[in-house]
Amino acid sequence: MSYDPHREDYQRLGLRFARSLDGKDPAAATRAFASFGRRFSQNRDSLPQSDADRAFHLVAEATTLIDYELPFADDAHAEELIERGHRLLDEALALDERCHDALRMKQAAESTSFESYYDFLAKSADDVRAACEEARAQAHDESPERALLEADIAMRPYYRWLATQAGKAVICGRNREAIRLSEKLLELDPQDSSDVRFTCAIAYAKLEDEAGLDLFAAKTKPLVRAGTDDAWMQLSRVSLAHKRHDMREAQRLLAHLMATYPHASAALAAQKELPDGVFSRLAVAPFSEDELILAISEGTVLLQEGRDDSGRGVLGTWVARQTGLDGATEARR
């Protein structure tokens, strides 16, 4: 689910290494490639790579610090992680000023508000697309399979840019724009490598556009995993049923969500908010507890609508009470 920067780093260097073996004796090339994994993990500098490859490796390292370690760090270590992560992004941009992932991640930290960050993403999106399409046009490999992978990798920074812009559009209340951006990205990447359909489902729920959500769900049905809707789609449908005061349907949908994910009652009672992934949506296992926690966090815009005396939104309070754990949760606060 979503992008793994370390896997992408491996793919980038794997492609370059494979091209360096073209034209060599097949047996020797096979022996050389057999050592690639060890060299990648233990002696990366011995492999052929460009400054752009080195820059992306620094982005992958920064992502580990900012997206996967920082949210769980105590105050004593948080500042150190932030400084190290930002230093890595600066080094990446020094190597490759067109490292759009590093530029986007750095701007996320420097923006003073969600609106200013959204405006930056919107203003630069066309330039990023042009640069990525230029890189894709240069993808020419003797192997058709490698050429396809190279072309896909070239476009990923733009896909991540659009996905981030769509996510921030929802936070800024630009839900129709979030849907437009999501649809645009799905046209470019029908496999939805960015999982932008999750963002789109929440945007439809915010607009209370149940018909639009139904059409969107039908269009993206081939992407549905294991024949069961993801937590974002299910939570959006719970929200819509609750808003139209169809409590029986809302309870049925919530029960289905709780049956789909492990430890769902505790997660829905706690309703933890997590920092958004800066590189991309956090990569978690499908239909895991972590995925549900992530969906609940992104669904805060639905859960916290119309705050009440409990400090939660109307839907958030109702969902917590339905789990049967709300009293225990409140007692621990």
Side-chain angles (χ1 to χ4, degrees):
M1 184 180 138
S2 198
Y3 293 102
D4 180 343
H6 293 285
R7 180 172 182 270
E8 189 166 327
D9 185 27
Y10 184 93
Q11 290 175 323
R12 290 174 67 108
L13 261 62
L15 281 170
R16 192 171 296 281
F17 188 64
R19 284 197 297 271
S20 74
L21 300 176
D22 287 343
K24 293 188 177 181
D25 173 70
T30 300
R31 288 194 299 273
F33 202 81
S35 69
F36 172 77
R38 175 182 54 78
R39 291 174 65 184
F40 178 83
S41 61
Q42 300 178 12
N43 190 18
R44 177 193 172 87
D45 289 342
S46 70
L47 294 169
Q49 54 195 296
S50 67
D51 282 347
D53 295 328
R54 294 184 180 91
F56 188 83
H57 175 67
L58 294 172
V59 167
E61 294 295 307
T63 299
T64 297
L65 297 177
I66 297 170
D67 285 355
Y68 292 92
E69 294 186 18
L70 180 59
F72 307 102
D74 56 33
D75 292 341
H77 296 94
E79 191 62 33
E80 178 188 353
L81 290 174
I82 293 170
E83 290 180 2
R84 286 168 55 196
H86 290 176
R87 187 163 58 248
L88 289 168
L89 294 177
D90 288 337
E91 291 174 14
L93 288 168
L95 283 169
D96 177 17
E97 63 181 10
R98 302 178 81 182
C99 184
H100 301 296
D101 289 306
L103 180 63
R104 176 174 53 82
M105 294 169 71
K106 184 175 172 61
Q107 188 64 37
E110 295 178 350
S111 295
T112 57
S113 67
F114 290 126
E115 284 284 353
S116 64
Y117 186 41
Y118 175 84
D119 290 342
F120 163 78
L121 294 170
K123 181 179 179 180
S124 305
D126 288 344
D127 290 340
V128 175
R129 178 172 186 169
C132 290
E133 288 179 340
E134 179 184 338
R136 182 179 62 183
Q138 296 172 359
H140 46 79
D141 198 292
E142 293 183 9
S143 163
E145 293 81 6
R146 294 199 315 238
L148 284 173
L149 177 58
E150 186 179 4
D152 178 53
I153 288 175
M155 291 301 297
R156 289 179 191 175
Y158 178 61
Y159 296 162
R160 288 188 281 266
W161 196 282
L162 272 189
T164 301
Q165 188 181 348
K168 299 310 172 190
V170 170
I171 294 173
C172 294
R174 303 169 184 252
N175 295 294
R176 296 192 188 281
E177 182 66 3
I179 291 170
R180 185 190 71 81
L181 291 166
S182 299
E183 297 277 7
K184 180 178 181 179
L185 181 49
L186 284 166
E187 288 179 7
L188 294 169
D189 178 26
Q191 298 304 311
D192 193 19
S193 306
S194 306
D195 292 330
V196 75
R197 66 190 184 280
F198 300 161
T199 302
C200 198
I202 290 176
Y204 274 114
K206 284 289 291 180
L207 291 170
E208 300 183 35
D209 185 357
E210 191 159 5
L213 182 63
D214 288 342
L215 288 172
F216 178 73
K219 184 164 57 175
T220 56
K221 188 175 181 179
L223 297 171
V224 173
R225 303 162 302 174
T228 302
D229 280 334
D230 55 79
W232 288 264
M233 179 64 76
Q234 293 192 52
L235 190 58
S236 295
R237 293 197 180 282
V238 170
S239 172
L240 287 167
H242 188 269
K243 284 181 178 178
R244 67 171 185 269
H245 305 293
D246 187 345
M247 306 314 292
R248 180 174 294 180
E249 178 65 1
Q251 287 173 331
R252 185 189 71 79
L253 291 166
L254 183 61
H256 183 263
L257 174 60
M258 293 169 65
T260 304
Y261 286 86
H263 311 296
S265 294
L268 288 162
Q271 296 175 24
K272 293 180 181 178
E273 290 188 60
L274 302 175
D276 290 336
V278 181
F279 177 74
S280 68
R281 179 177 275 113
L282 299 181
V284 293
F287 296 109
S288 64
E289 182 183 7
D290 286 342
E291 181 177 84
L292 177 59
I293 291 171
L294 184 59
I296 292 168
S297 179
E298 294 185 17
T300 296
V301 292
L302 300 174
L303 294 165
Q304 292 188 358
E305 282 185 323
R307 285 184 176 274
D308 58 11
D309 293 339
S310 71
R312 298 179 174 184
V314 175
L315 177 62
T317 298
W318 179 83
V319 166
R321 288 173 177 167
Q322 292 298 310
T323 67
L325 298 178
D326 186 47
T329 302
E330 293 298 327
R332 290 195 298 269
R333 291 184 172 181

